[in-house]
Amino acid sequence: MPPDDPVSPTECRTLKDLATLAGCSVNTVSRALRGDPRLSEGTRTRVQDLAKRHGYRPNPLVSAFMAHRRQAPARQVIAVVTKFGYPFFSRRDVVYCNEILAGMEAKADELGFQLEEFPTLGPDALSGKRLTQILRARGIRGVIFLASGDFDDDFPELEWAHFAIVAQGFHSKSRRMHRVAPDHLQGLEVCLEHAAARGCRRIGLALTGSLDPRLRYAVSGRFFAWQAMQPEHLRIPLMPTEGEIPLQGDFDAWMLEHQPDCIIGERAFLPEWIDQVNPRLDHPAICLLFNRREEATVPGVDSQLPLVGKTVISVLARELYLNHYGLPEAQEVILVNGAWRESGGPASVTDVAITDAGKATSGRP
């Protein structure tokens, strides 16, 4: 039987002190503090409660070092769970995912990790239970949910207590977990500032009803907040299209009815569509992109997707080094800022700021 608290709270500073208090070995205490499922739940709970009551605080640097020492000589594998019915890593046919994956691979290589994909759709897809068994059998503790596939499909239900988990984006919408995503709200704000600097007043947002929830309504919400401050006759409603990609006929009709002088969107084909409609408008409209890609010919905000991928790995590495397993009590959401790009120009950290008088000045947003 363990002794009755022979060590005072102020004296419980090392694992050995805590082991004496708990009446078990230092190794058992260390495993209990890490939440090692090989120990009984009673032992884990008792040791963790003693640590809290007696003020024991592990040294995070020592914990990280010991975690590194426990790794096998081969690189530690991180599971990247996707909602594809095929191995995406071998095809890389979705530009958004591919750019994020490039950043993830670069950061994983820097930190000594290896990425391996686990597709979860299709006839041969793994169930949550089976995927949990495979990951545990291979000693894989880090899991990333990559925003991929259909938004309405969900990821499998894992046995969360065994894994450190980070979601890229908001596809795993029903669960509380740390997330990393591009800051599209900031991208919209910068586009609105640049549109005003170019003298635009009738600004339309080319965002469909299907894409909106993928962005947690942040873009449309910020647009409506800005629009509420404009005179009513300058307000342009969202496009009526419900699909993720608008129909060109609906887009043309929307532009002809509302006569915008600027369209803000995120699809690469919008500039071409706008150019086709412009001859039929009273005044030609310009196009700005809040999620601009490298090949775009119009100005906009580069979402810096490789940096998003690097940040995903950094957050997961932190959780692994600190032995944080299971779903967190409080969710962290990290949004990565974009950078403004003029047509064909490099990313800029300096954007156009708008004064109260509506004039453009040089400065940071």
Side-chain angles (χ1 to χ4, degrees), residues 223-294:
F223 180 74
F224 289 140
W226 169 84
Q227 198 176 64
M229 297 183 291
Q230 311 307 311
E232 188 170 353
H233 71 280
L234 297 179
R235 301 174 189 174
I236 296 179
L238 295 183
M239 287 187 302
T241 303
E242 287 301 318
E244 182 177 337
I245 300 177
L247 301 175
Q248 188 170 3
D250 291 342
F251 179 82
D252 293 354
W254 175 66
M255 282 195 67
L256 289 169
E257 179 182 357
H258 298 289
Q259 297 284 320
D261 51 25
C262 176
I263 297 292
I264 297 176
E266 63 95 34
R267 294 290 177 179
F269 53 73
L270 287 178
E272 181 180 351
W273 285 10
I274 292 171
D275 286 343
Q276 293 175 10
V277 180
N278 268 341
R280 298 149 61 188
L281 298 179
D282 294 339
H283 302 283
I286 67 170
C287 181
L288 301 177
L289 300 176
F290 68 81
N291 184 21
R292 185 184 186 276
R293 313 316 269 268
E294 188 66 34

Side-chain angles (χ1 to χ4, degrees), residues 83 96-97 145-155 167-175 177 179 213-214 216 244:
K83 291 191 295 178
Y96 176 90
C97 296
F145 286 165
L146 180 67
S148 52
D150 194 318
F151 184 73
D152 292 328
D153 291 326
D154 209 349
F155 289 101
Q168 185 280 303
F170 300 96
H171 277 229
S172 51
K173 50 187 180 297
S174 62
R175 301 184 183 91
M177 57 183 65
R179 302 177 186 274
R214 289 176 180 251
R216 299 187 79 196
E244 182 177 337

Side-chain angles (χ1 to χ4, degrees), residues 20 28 45 53 98 106 193 235 268 294 321 337 343 346 349:
T20 300
T28 297
T45 301
R53 290 206 313 270
N98 199 23
E193 291 176 352
R235 301 174 189 174
E294 188 66 34
Y321 293 159
N337 278 5
S343 301
V349 296

Side-chain angles (χ1 to χ4, degrees), residues 107-327:
K107 192 64 178 180
D109 184 67
E110 177 186 332
L111 297 180
F113 293 107
Q114 177 182 337
L115 303 183
E116 183 172 335
E117 181 191 9
F118 292 84
T120 58
L121 289 186
D124 299 324
L126 299 170
S127 67
K129 180 177 180 180
R130 180 58 182 149
L131 181 55
T132 296
Q133 292 173 341
I134 292 173
L135 296 179
R136 293 191 64 195
R138 294 183 52 190
I140 299 174
R141 304 300 301 273
V143 177
I144 293 170
F145 286 165
L146 180 67
S148 52
D150 194 318
F151 184 73
D152 292 328
D153 291 326
D154 209 349
F155 289 101
E157 188 79 14
L158 303 181
E159 295 177 20
W160 309 112
H162 305 296
F163 308 108
I165 303 164
V166 175
Q168 185 280 303
F170 300 96
H171 277 229
S172 51
K173 50 187 180 297
S174 62
R175 301 184 183 91
R176 182 187 66 248
M177 57 183 65
H178 300 321
R179 302 177 186 274
V180 179
D183 191 352
H184 291 309
L185 184 152
Q186 176 253 356
L188 176 72
E189 289 179 332
V190 172
C191 284
L192 286 170
E193 291 176 352
H194 279 268
R198 286 162 165 80
C200 300
R201 302 185 68 201
R202 292 185 58 78
I203 302 174
L205 179 62
L207 188 69
T208 63
S210 178
L211 182 61
D212 208 8
R214 289 176 180 251
L215 309 179
R216 299 187 79 196
Y217 302 97
V219 172
S220 62
R222 182 64 185 91
F223 180 74
F224 289 140
W226 169 84
Q227 198 176 64
M229 297 183 291
Q230 311 307 311
E232 188 170 353
H233 71 280
L234 297 179
R235 301 174 189 174
I236 296 179
L238 295 183
M239 287 187 302
T241 303
E242 287 301 318
E244 182 177 337
I245 300 177
L247 301 175
Q248 188 170 3
D250 291 342
F251 179 82
D252 293 354
W254 175 66
M255 282 195 67
L256 289 169
E257 179 182 357
H258 298 289
Q259 297 284 320
D261 51 25
C262 176
I263 297 292
I264 297 176
E266 63 95 34
R267 294 290 177 179
F269 53 73
L270 287 178
E272 181 180 351
W273 285 10
I274 292 171
D275 286 343
Q276 293 175 10
V277 180
N278 268 341
R280 298 149 61 188
L281 298 179
D282 294 339
H283 302 283
I286 67 170
C287 181
L288 301 177
L289 300 176
F290 68 81
N291 184 21
R292 185 184 186 276
R293 313 316 269 268
E294 188 66 34
E295 66 275 11
T297 58
V298 299
V301 175
D302 176 0
S303 296
Q304 302 196 99
L305 297 181
L307 181 56
V308 173
K310 290 181 179 181
T311 306
V312 171
I313 297 296
S314 294
V315 174
L316 183 63
R318 178 200 69 186
E319 296 299 284
L320 289 169
Y321 293 159
L322 296 178
N323 298 309
H324 288 174
Y325 299 110
L327 299 178

